[in-house]
Amino acid sequence: MSYTKQVMEQVIKRNSGEPEFHQAVLEVLDSLEPVFEKNPQYVNAGILERIVEPERQIIFRVPWVDDQGKVQVNRGFRVQFNSAIGPYKGGLRFHPSVNVGIIKFLGFEQIFKNSLTGLPIGGGKGGSDFDPKGKSDGEIMRFCQSFMTELSKHIGADTDVPAGDIGVGGREIGYLFGQYKKLRNMFEAGVITGKGLTYGGSLVRTQATGYGLVYFMEEAIKAKGKSFDGATVVISGSGNVAIYAAEKAQQLGSTVVALSDSSGYIYDKNGINLDTVKQIKEVERKRISEYVKIHPSAEFFNSCDGIWSIPCDIALPSATQNELDGEAAKKLVANGCYAVGEGANMPATPDAHKVFLENNVIFAPGKAANAGGVATSALEMSQNSMRLSWTFDEVDARLKDIMINIYHNASAAAKEYGFEGNLIVGSNIAGFIKVADTMLAHGI
Ligand code: NDP
């Protein structure tokens, strides 16, 4: 049995009942086989055995009082996965599906993503099985305060720096930071990112993951002589990543014809009106189906995966993990889709990867294509350290540079190891080598 297969067996044995974590590790390990053949020093130092084991996992009780005066209890998580190249960094997800396996898959991916940005940040992730949907502002605040009361013991600007993810946006970051400030009696801006602009946030952070995804894809399709100008684009989700990916794609001359949420998708053949979507999702916090009341020529379908049967040139899955399977991938290919970029983390299943690779579809994995969010978080940390703020254009230009570099590094690594054009392998190898070399340098 090969070395990577032995390590994978151990991962499955030691982390039973965590299929998303197994899936994320398997994808990386499959890519690394040629790296170990060329670099036996990694095998001797047990880099792989170490990298699949989080440095620390914290699971805690989060009690809070709802609007009826009843005590509710949720479970909180923070997985501090790898600090070889910098403080742990990764978002917080509030969603009822959250469990330790999901946080570990996200934290594991984050190690390589953060390494790819070229910035000094380690990998971590956290969250809770709390469901923000339908909660009042007061309930959200009390939950965030209770969550931070425990989390504050484990984080710090040079230790571990959380940010947002599904269910955690500007409002939640504000409550979390406010509680941290009270508990510590100091204004430690660099302890969390995605902050509001009045208290240390960075311009472009809100847009960063979506814009970054489109910058990455622009570079990737340019290599095949294609562009966003005139392209038809389908994007799943209608949260932070999806909305700003749609905005940048539109700015580059594309027609974005579909968006979704967990209740279904909207199709507007004339092109989605993003002002309406922002009003519904960001301001009113309502369902995407509201869109068709304002734009009756658009249609709403109450299924999520049907979105991949809409003909398009470029697809950007930007909702959640495993939302695009092999069958959906076949439909995209049959309809002429030539590029797929993951805005979400691991939205395409292994079967879907196979279909895309076999059909020469340009496929950009999330750990490379959606790294713009965490990269801009790191730029927010830099501005906090310097106690100054860069302009929108300055941050945007840095973000674009970073995304273009990630594409070229991943592309070059794929070519060097004999997998030209395979950005999955290229991203995994390029992300891994920097962390592995640092772990070697640091000893065990
Ligand atoms: P948001 O909470 O802002 O939006 C999430 C969107 O996805 C919503 O439209 C939501 O619908 C939909 N969604 C969530 N869960 C499901 C589900 N189980 N089935 C169908 N639809 C679902 O999150 P973000 O936009 O921040 O995150 C989206 C993805 O991007 C996640 O995978 C996240 O990890 C990843 N990501 C985010 C980054 C960021 O900077 N925010 C950075 C890098 C990656 P509904 O409203 O109905 O729940």
Side-chain angles (χ1 to χ4, degrees):
M1 191 190 298
S2 75
Y3 170 54
T4 55
K5 287 209 167 57
Q6 283 172 38
V7 174
M8 192 62 223
E9 275 209 341
Q10 184 65 24
V11 167
I12 293 171
K13 212 163 128 193
R14 205 177 248 170
N15 305 274
S16 62
E18 299 176 6
E20 293 85 0
F21 180 52
H22 302 168
Q23 185 182 337
V25 175
L26 184 61
E27 186 211 287
V28 173
L29 264 51
D30 271 353
S31 302
L32 294 179
E33 199 84 56
V35 176
F36 292 111
E37 276 162 27
K38 249 192 179 175
N39 300 278
Q41 71 276 22
Y42 295 148
V43 182
N44 297 336
I47 298 292
L48 204 49
E49 289 88 339
R50 287 153 63 192
I51 217 167
V52 296
E53 189 66 25
E55 290 176 16
R56 193 175 297 110
Q57 306 182 51
I58 303 143
I59 301 184
F60 51 100
R61 179 171 64 192
V62 191
W64 56 282
V65 179
D66 69 17
D67 286 348
Q68 284 68 49
K70 191 167 178 301
V71 174
Q72 301 285 345
V73 178
N74 285 97
R75 186 170 280 187
F77 303 90
R78 187 71 186 166
V79 174
Q80 299 180 329
F81 225 116
N82 193 297
S83 62
I85 63 170
Y88 310 107
K89 178 95 198 82
L92 298 171
R93 175 176 292 191
F94 292 169
H95 193 273
S97 64
V98 164
N99 57 41
V100 71
I102 291 200
I103 298 299
K104 273 160 71 180
F105 119 63
L106 291 163
F108 183 72
E109 293 263 302
Q110 200 82 43
I111 305 170
F112 308 98
K113 180 188 307 197
N114 293 3
S115 164
L116 283 168
T117 66
L119 299 167
I121 38 179
K125 198 82 187 188
S128 173
D129 57 4
F130 172 74
D131 186 359
K133 270 200 206 91
K135 303 287 190 299
S136 69
D137 268 359
E139 289 176 323
I140 299 279
M141 182 178 74
R142 292 193 293 281
F143 174 80
C144 288
Q145 289 173 337
S146 178
F147 184 85
M148 183 51 87
T149 300
E150 178 58 34
L151 187 70
S152 65
K153 297 169 190 160
H154 312 284
I155 61 174
D158 294 314
T159 309
D160 182 359
V161 183
D165 190 78
I166 291 180
V168 178
R171 172 180 61 165
E172 291 75 18
I173 295 289
Y175 294 144
L176 291 164
F177 182 73
Q179 181 73 354
Y180 183 87
K181 187 166 67 66
K182 258 187 224 158
L183 292 166
R184 289 289 173 98
N185 190 29
M186 67 174 170
F187 196 100
E188 189 186 342
V191 71
I192 198 162
T193 58
K195 296 181 294 294
L197 295 176
T198 54
Y199 63 98
S202 174
L203 287 161
V204 193
R205 177 60 189 92
T206 305
Q207 295 85 352
T209 309
Y211 278 23
L213 168 66
V214 174
Y215 292 148
F216 185 100
M217 294 309 291
E218 193 184 18
E219 195 66 11
I221 63 177
K222 197 167 88 184
K224 295 260 165 103
K226 309 270 190 188
S227 99
F228 271 89
D229 194 15
T232 299
V233 180
V234 164
I235 305 178
S236 62
S238 51
N240 174 263
V241 179
I243 287 177
Y244 292 96
E247 183 167 281
K248 183 52 72 180
Q250 286 182 346
Q251 285 172 10
L252 295 180
S254 300
T255 306
V256 178
V257 293
L259 285 174
S260 65
D261 64 18
S262 56
S263 53
Y265 68 92
I266 52 167
Y267 172 62
D268 190 338
K269 61 178 183 317
N270 303 318
I272 302 269
N273 182 316
L274 269 188
D275 289 338
T276 308
V277 174
K278 285 184 186 175
Q279 179 65 25
I280 295 169
K281 298 303 285 188
E282 295 183 336
V283 181
E284 297 168 11
R285 298 179 189 275
K286 287 189 177 157
R287 313 307 299 151
I288 196 75
S289 51
E290 295 290 311
Y291 183 92
V292 298
K293 293 185 187 156
I294 299 156
H295 302 279
S297 62
E299 294 169 89
F300 172 72
F301 299 87
N302 62 355
S303 96
C304 283
D305 50 357
I307 193 169
W308 308 121
S309 54
I310 300 172
C312 65
D313 301 304
I314 300 167
L316 304 175
S318 303
T320 193
Q321 63 272 5
N322 292 329
E323 55 163 316
L324 198 170
D325 62 13
E327 287 310 306
K330 283 182 196 157
K331 282 183 205 149
L332 283 168
V333 170
N335 283 330
C337 170
Y338 63 76
V340 178
E342 294 189 322
N345 286 309
M346 213 168 73
T349 64
D351 285 349
H353 292 172
K354 220 166 143 237
V355 173
F356 293 139
L357 292 173
E358 281 168 5
N359 288 281
N360 290 322
V361 172
I362 300 164
F363 179 77
K367 63 171 74 70
N370 71 31
V374 74
T376 308
S377 277
L379 299 178
E380 182 175 331
M381 290 159 71
S382 303
Q383 293 169 78
N384 294 152
S385 295
M386 292 188 287
R387 294 178 189 275
L388 52 76
S389 305
W390 294 325
T391 62
F392 188 98
D393 288 349
E394 211 170 339
V395 182
D396 193 35
R398 284 177 196 264
L399 167 65
K400 191 166 184 182
D401 251 19
I402 290 169
M403 298 315 296
I404 291 174
N405 276 335
I406 296 176
Y407 168 72
H408 288 289
N409 289 341
S411 229
K415 193 167 174 196
E416 185 186 337
Y417 283 87
F419 290 86
E420 191 166 358
N422 185 332
L423 292 171
I424 302 176
V425 171
S427 304
N428 286 333
I429 292 178
F432 173 79
I433 284 178
K434 182 173 152 190
V435 179
D437 285 343
T438 312
M439 288 171 76
L440 271 184
H442 288 172
I444 55 168

